[in-house]
């Protein structure tokens, strides 16, 4: 018994099991009998439980293919039972549960199968308990193989922050280089727009309505038939008897008409 368990421990913790796990990750898309036969063939090559020396190839390969087929069946049955009793369980937890549940009958089956191919070999209750964790590790690998890919836990996609809004090039290119930043407001002057910035102002040949339509609405809004203000350029919205104004950071008072007052309050005071 000690030789069998030690041999299986070396299989589980050593290079053969690592190679097996790598193979099954690659073959993860295959399910059912084909996976069981392939897994049984791999067990036949590695020869756990001392079967490499105790059994000839003609017996060893069929032996492990039968073990693998029964293991896949036990895992599939356990998976169906657990799906009906705990449908909302996380996939990783469910795989471990399937492996543990299916390892119970598989421990007895493996002990029985060893007795068949090695007459006279038997397992006491204590030896069965020692055998269980190694069978459970194999069943864990089988449970992972038969687990549907669409149930595997996937890292949540990281949302990219929205790009900061910018003034359109066709608008800012009309301004002197020194005035292409820190825009506070636009003021209509006949067929021109006066662009107010922290660094001065400049006239642009463009209607206010056209300029406001070009600019990303996240940057500001129209507050008067003659004024558009930048959201970042407003220090406060003030009410006085009969009028409302947007107080810019340079202390300029921009009138807010009744038409735009509700929108201005929502956008400029949030």
């Amino acid at each position: 018994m000690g030789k069998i368990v030690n041999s299986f421990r070396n299989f589980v913790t050593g290079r053969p099991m690592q190679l097996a796990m790598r193979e099954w990750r690659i073959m993860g898309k295959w399910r059912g009998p084909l996976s069981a036969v392939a897994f049984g063939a791999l067990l036949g090559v590695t020869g756990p439980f001392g079967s490499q020396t105790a059994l000839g190839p003609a017996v060893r390969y069929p032996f492990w293919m039968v073990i693998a087929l029964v293991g896949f069946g036990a895992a599939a049955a356990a998976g169906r039972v657990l799906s009906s009793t705990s449908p909302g369980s996380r996939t990783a937890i469910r795989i471990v549960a399937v492996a543990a549940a299916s390892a119970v009958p598989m421990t007895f089956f493996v002990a029985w199968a060893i007795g068949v191919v090695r007459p006279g070999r038997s397992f006491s209750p204590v030896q069965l308990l020692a055998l269980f964790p190694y069978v459970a590790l194999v069943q864990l690998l089988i449970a992972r193989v038969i687990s549907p890919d669409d149930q595997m836990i996937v890292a949540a996609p990281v949302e990219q922050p929205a790009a900061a809004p910018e003034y359109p090039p066709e608008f800012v290119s009309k301004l002197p280089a020194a005035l292409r930043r820190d825009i506070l407001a636009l003021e209509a002057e006949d067929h021109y727009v006066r662009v107010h910035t922290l660094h001065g102002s400049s006239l642009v040949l463009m209607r206010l309505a056209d300029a406001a339509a070009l600019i990303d609405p996240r940057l500001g809004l129209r507050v008067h038939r003659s004024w558009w203000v930048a959201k970042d350029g407003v220090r406060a919205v003030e009410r006085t008897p009969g009028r409302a104004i947007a107080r810019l950071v340079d202390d300029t008072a921009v009138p807010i008409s009744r038409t735009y007052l509700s929108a201005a309050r929502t956008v400029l005071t949030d």
Side-chain angles (χ1 to χ4, degrees), residues 255-267:
I256 303 176
S257 67
R258 291 181 182 273
T259 303
Y260 301 99
L261 182 57
S262 178
R265 282 176 172 172
T266 301
V267 175

Side-chain angles (χ1 to χ4, degrees), residues 187 221-229 238 243-248 252-258 260-261 264 268:
E187 181 184 6
L221 77 163
R222 192 95 173 256
V223 295
H224 189 275
R225 62 185 180 86
S226 299
W227 285 90
W228 177 97
V229 296
E238 302 174 0
R243 67 189 296 238
I245 62 170
R247 182 71 64 181
L248 303 185
T252 300
V254 175
I256 303 176
S257 67
R258 291 181 182 273
Y260 301 99
L261 182 57
L268 302 178

